[in-house]
Amino acid sequence: MGPARLKDVARKANVSVATVSLVLAGKGRISEEVRGRVRNAADTLAYRPRRAVVPRPVAAGSVGILCAEDRQYEWNFIRPTILELERALRQRGHVPVLIPDGSRADAEKVVHHVQGSGVVAVFCLQFSNAAVFTGLKGQGLPVVVVNNSGFQDLVDSVCVDDFQGAYEASRFVLSLGHRSVAFVEYARPESPAVVADRFIGFRKALEERRIGFAPERRITVPFMDEKKLEKRLGTLFSRAEKPTAVFAHDDYLGLYVIDALRRMGLSVPADVSLVAPGDVLDYSLPLMPQITTMRIDTALLGKVAANLMFDRMRAVDSGPHVLKVKEQLVRRGSCRQL
């Protein structure tokens, strides 16, 4: 039997790996009872953190860009961020090192992988693993999380103002005369903050106009489950008061909404208007449906993240800094005036 690992401590203490990592790093808002269980489990199992890998010598200091590779369709979305990070790093004499890994991969393995790359700081792009962040910080590496608002109290973050984007998108649809709007999303257990922020922004816009929202108009489906999406939309659009517009969680999901509506004999925007945050899709491609979006300036995300990282690399440790980038409305004709 080999040495104990984080997941062994988590299993014995009956907590998550992320909680173990936070407790051992002295971070997070965790009760003393849970902290005691974790420490006792670690002592009982004689848990010892992995020894740091001696980094390869790099004259200027290489900086890692750790990016989740779980959803390949997002490459068009994150590519401008990566290019901006690479440009900013090279301007400062640093060597950018792209480190692809799964956001659900074992945290210790990811940290070991990053250490082995010899980097002196790490950008975590679209990553959702608190144990990775605390593990990297525990090794003395500056960390900036990019485009994930779920860890603002833990680590420096540059994220999108998802509440503002959803609020302004909804106000735009309402300004066109729509009063019956459906909200369609997919489950994202790894990113609960973005799901909550977009729905709350949507509801705030409706409440300001004193427009009611029936619970059945919120449709949540598993990711990529086209059949369930079509079934739920079919039920909603079979009602006497049909929605005249749909707010989709992002424009990638918007594609599936358009396809489901088409099979129901409805078209966008003639029968149903559609708006979504994101600009995840490549709208320069031929035959790509044109969806009105709240565009996320991913190049600006990279620029702001780079500046925050340079400040962090110069400064002594302090509380996490959080910067948010505003979304911008891009009209592509998927919404019509009633």
Side-chain angles (χ1 to χ4, degrees):
M1 185 175 179
R5 302 178 64 182
L6 274 178
K7 63 182 179 182
D8 300 320
V9 178
R11 189 180 301 113
K12 187 170 184 62
N14 196 27
V15 296
S16 68
V17 171
T19 298
V20 172
S21 183
L22 288 169
V23 170
L24 297 182
K27 306 285 187 180
R29 300 173 182 174
I30 300 170
S31 70
E32 285 304 316
E33 188 271 331
V34 172
R35 289 182 184 276
R37 288 209 326 261
V38 170
R39 294 191 187 102
N40 289 338
D43 291 342
T44 301
L45 297 173
Y47 170 76
R48 295 292 180 271
R50 287 190 179 188
R51 295 177 59 188
V53 176
V54 178
R56 298 190 300 269
V58 179
S62 57
V63 175
I65 304 173
L66 177 63
C67 58
E69 56 182 8
D70 303 320
R71 294 176 177 170
Q72 295 183 0
Y73 77 88
E74 291 182 337
W75 174 249
N76 176 70
F77 178 73
I78 67 173
R79 182 172 176 270
T81 305
I82 294 174
L83 292 177
E84 186 60 40
L85 290 174
E86 290 180 340
R87 184 197 64 78
L89 289 170
R90 293 187 190 281
Q91 281 187 343
R92 295 292 187 101
H94 295 284
V95 178
V97 178
L98 188 62
I99 309 172
D101 219 323
S103 63
R104 296 183 181 86
D106 179 84
E108 285 186 288
K109 288 182 179 179
V110 175
V111 172
H112 200 65
H113 186 192
V114 173
Q115 289 176 311
S117 68
V119 299
V120 298
V122 189
F123 294 99
C124 295
L125 181 56
Q126 308 254 115
F127 236 73
S128 306
N129 193 327
V132 169
F133 307 147
T134 54
L136 293 172
K137 291 180 68 175
Q139 297 299 325
L141 295 174
V143 176
V144 173
V145 171
V146 185
N147 200 28
N148 192 323
S149 58
F151 305 94
Q152 299 177 46
D153 62 342
L154 176 66
V155 65
D156 290 325
S157 303
V158 175
C159 43
V160 177
D161 193 340
D162 289 299
F163 170 85
Q164 165 267 330
Y167 172 73
E168 292 192 13
S170 304
R171 279 176 56 92
F172 170 68
V173 169
L174 297 178
S175 73
L176 298 177
H178 296 274
R179 294 296 179 269
S180 179
V181 185
F183 186 93
V184 181
E185 62 188 356
Y186 47 75
R188 297 183 65 177
E190 79 287 356
S191 301
V194 63
V195 174
D197 285 349
R198 288 183 180 174
F199 183 64
I200 294 170
F202 167 79
R203 286 300 307 272
K204 178 174 173 57
L206 267 63
E207 288 167 3
E208 285 184 352
R209 296 287 187 99
R210 301 180 185 274
I211 298 172
F213 182 75
E216 60 269 18
R217 289 187 185 170
R218 183 179 186 179
I219 294 176
T220 305
V221 297
F223 182 69
M224 296 287 283
D225 194 330
E226 300 173 62
K227 291 184 178 179
K228 186 161 290 187
L229 174 63
E230 185 173 355
K231 181 178 179 181
R232 294 287 303 277
L233 284 172
T235 300
L236 185 60
F237 278 85
S238 67
R239 297 176 182 272
E241 187 181 354
K242 300 177 177 60
T244 61
V246 171
F247 180 109
H249 178 81
D250 59 28
D251 47 332
Y252 185 76
L253 180 60
L255 280 182
Y256 291 89
V257 171
I258 290 173
D259 192 48
L261 291 174
R262 178 186 58 79
R263 289 196 293 271
M264 293 159 51
L266 301 171
S267 64
V268 174
D271 301 305
V272 184
S273 291
L274 174 66
V275 68
D279 258 25
V280 174
L281 305 175
D282 185 351
Y283 288 101
S284 67
L285 295 176
L287 306 181
M288 175 66 72
Q290 299 296 296
I291 301 173
T292 294
T293 64
M294 293 299 297
R295 180 175 177 267
I296 296 172
D297 191 338
T298 50
L300 182 58
L301 278 176
K303 184 180 297 185
V304 174
N307 289 334
L308 179 56
M309 176 64 84
F310 297 143
D311 288 343
R312 175 59 71 201
M313 292 171 74
R314 287 194 303 266
V316 296
D317 189 31
S318 62
H321 295 174
V322 178
L323 301 173
K324 290 193 175 184
V325 172
K326 189 176 185 291
E327 299 178 16
Q328 303 291 336
L329 178 68
V330 180
R331 305 186 190 193
R332 295 194 178 92
S334 65
C335 297
R336 72 177 183 90
Q337 181 84 42
L338 285 185

